[in-house]
Amino acid sequence: MAWQIYELTNSPLQIGMLGLARAVPQIFILLFGGLLADAMNRRKLMMVTQGSLFFVSATLAVLTLGGNVRPMTLYAMTVFLALFSSLESPSRQAIVTNLVPVEDLSRALAISSTQRQIATIAGPSVAGVVLAVAGPAVCYAVDAVSWIIMLASLALIRTQLPERGGWRTITFDSLRAGFRFVWGHAVIFPFLMMDLGANLFGTVRSLFPIYARDILGVGPKGLGILYAASATGALLGAIGFTLRGSVRNAGHWILAGVTTYGLCLLFFAHSHIFWLSILLLVGSGIGDTISAILRSTINQLSTPDDLRGRMASINSVFTNSGPQLGQFQLGALASLIGTELAAASGAFVILLIVGVLVARFPHVRDYRINQANP
């Protein structure tokens, strides 16, 4: 969608507006999705949202094939994507703890991340070729088919999941209980703020169409490789974490991972060499994924099951909406001061946030994973 709107408008700001169109509804809908995840059967809820996402992708394919896509069309479809994915995301995160024993949770999250990164690598790589050869309509059609595969996968789950309390438990008091837990946790909240900063200022993926076409001169095929490079790094990080197993000094590893992420983005911002840009994006993916897996493990182990959906939704407000708001922020900033300077300024902010946590929050820096209470 970012490539398509850039082709239609030649505007970095329009790319940013695409992120804003997703972030604004997502912020509010995610909280309701968290309430649903703690009130409903999580598998059934995910099946409903996956079916809805199929219709969004299929609609994009049909409209693009008919030549009827305009910027406002992409904005509208982005809002629907935000609606249904936000209702699904908390259940997707919380359901993992219902399917595996507590002692296997870290590795389960790493394996889950590995599976996602394989798809993330294959998707953009193939999409870059398809964009160049057949156009975006085929990309949307393949995406529509992928939601059907997701529905079939959910149907294969045989674990009996709790039906929970139903609609009567969806109240403002329940939502406030989730906020009180997250805000009051000595480690979850600082890491959440760090994650928000990293996502808000480090979403350079939104600038990839500009780098691919105007800075590196590699076109849509190169765009697919840029997307795949960070995903490749994330895959390597997830595989390495899976092989290593448990990590006790989680605070040190998380901060080291985010530092690696920020430094790689800083050098990527000014790189005009395609292969060097690829290597830096791989490094950023490794650092980001190691940090993300450990943060997710801490969140899951430290949260009671009846609060996990709400915790996941509050966390997702920052981790999912942050990149969308970051896409808008970087797109607007790039239109004012240039793409490279905008990307570099975001990397500087990430490194500054890490420095503050290291200097002023020693209990976060020295946090050990065995402190979490299942």
Side-chain angles (χ1 to χ4, degrees):
M1 295 177 76
W3 177 266
Q4 193 174 21
I5 202 166
Y6 193 50
E7 286 284 277
L8 290 170
T9 66
N10 290 307
S11 169
L13 180 60
Q14 292 273 26
I15 299 176
M17 290 295 292
L18 199 65
L20 187 64
R22 184 166 187 169
V24 172
Q26 191 169 255
I27 290 172
F28 301 100
I29 300 167
L30 274 168
L31 297 176
F32 183 63
L35 289 171
L36 286 177
D38 288 335
M40 306 291 179
N41 183 299
R42 290 165 180 166
R43 182 179 73 94
K44 293 178 181 178
L45 177 60
M46 288 176 66
M47 294 184 75
V48 172
T49 54
Q50 298 283 351
S52 302
L53 285 163
F54 161 78
F55 285 105
V56 175
S57 301
T59 300
L60 276 169
V62 172
L63 291 175
T64 301
L65 193 61
N68 297 316
V69 171
R70 303 292 182 269
M72 287 304 299
T73 306
L74 295 174
Y75 293 144
M77 291 298 102
T78 296
V79 170
F80 282 113
L81 283 172
L83 169 63
F84 298 123
S85 62
S86 298
L87 291 176
E88 185 236 23
S89 179
S91 292
R92 181 195 290 261
Q93 296 178 53
I95 199 173
V96 177
T97 55
N98 299 134
L99 301 177
V100 298
V102 170
E103 61 270 18
D104 293 330
L105 183 60
S106 295
R107 289 191 175 186
L109 291 171
I111 292 171
S112 177
S113 178
T114 302
Q115 292 172 325
R116 285 197 304 272
Q117 297 309 327
I118 290 173
T120 305
I121 292 169
S125 300
V126 175
V129 177
V130 174
L131 273 172
V133 175
V138 178
C139 294
Y140 293 135
V142 173
D143 191 53
V145 172
S146 75
W147 296 118
I148 297 176
I149 296 172
M150 289 288 293
L151 278 168
S153 301
L154 288 167
L156 291 173
I157 294 177
R158 292 291 177 262
T159 303
Q160 293 297 315
L161 302 181
E163 294 296 333
R164 307 188 181 278
W167 290 99
R168 62 182 176 82
T169 63
I170 300 177
T171 65
F172 283 110
D173 287 338
S174 296
L175 184 59
R176 281 195 293 267
F179 274 107
R180 282 196 301 269
F181 175 80
V182 173
W183 281 188
H185 200 282
V187 175
I188 290 179
F189 184 67
F191 279 143
L192 188 61
M193 293 297 99
M194 182 193 69
D195 202 26
L196 172 63
N199 284 315
L200 186 59
F201 296 101
T203 314
V204 295
R205 287 171 63 92
S206 62
L207 302 178
F208 282 178
I210 304 173
Y211 273 94
R213 198 184 78 174
D214 301 335
I215 297 176
L216 299 172
V218 292
K221 293 181 180 179
L223 175 65
I225 296 173
L226 289 177
Y227 282 128
S230 56
T232 299
L235 175 61
L236 294 174
I239 291 175
F241 190 90
T242 304
L243 295 175
R244 177 183 173 85
S246 61
V247 171
R248 292 192 176 184
N249 295 320
H252 291 175
W253 279 86
I254 290 173
L255 294 174
V258 178
T259 300
T260 302
Y261 176 68
L263 287 173
C264 287
L265 292 186
L266 179 62
F267 290 112
F268 168 81
H270 297 294
S271 172
H272 288 221
I273 304 171
F274 187 51
W275 66 263
L276 178 59
S277 299
I278 295 300
L279 291 178
L280 289 168
L281 290 175
V282 170
S284 73
I286 292 174
D288 186 41
T289 296
I290 290 174
S291 173
I293 290 172
L294 287 170
R295 290 198 311 271
S296 180
T297 302
I298 291 171
N299 290 348
Q300 297 287 358
L301 289 176
S302 301
T303 307
D305 186 59
D306 60 347
L307 281 170
R308 283 193 178 113
R310 280 163 284 176
M311 180 278 297
S313 70
I314 295 168
N315 183 69
S316 294
V317 166
F318 297 96
T319 58
N320 290 358
S321 299
Q324 310 305 326
L325 291 173
Q327 180 176 339
F328 171 70
Q329 180 267 140
L330 279 177
L333 193 60
S335 67
L336 293 175
I337 66 175
T339 301
E340 294 181 33
L341 189 57
S345 65
F348 273 120
V349 173
I350 293 171
L351 295 173
L352 179 62
I353 292 171
V354 173
V356 171
L357 286 177
V358 170
R360 302 301 298 271
F361 294 87
H363 66 284
V364 173
R365 179 192 65 208
D366 299 328
Y367 184 83
R368 296 173 68 86
I369 204 75
N370 57 1
Q371 289 175 295
N373 295 316

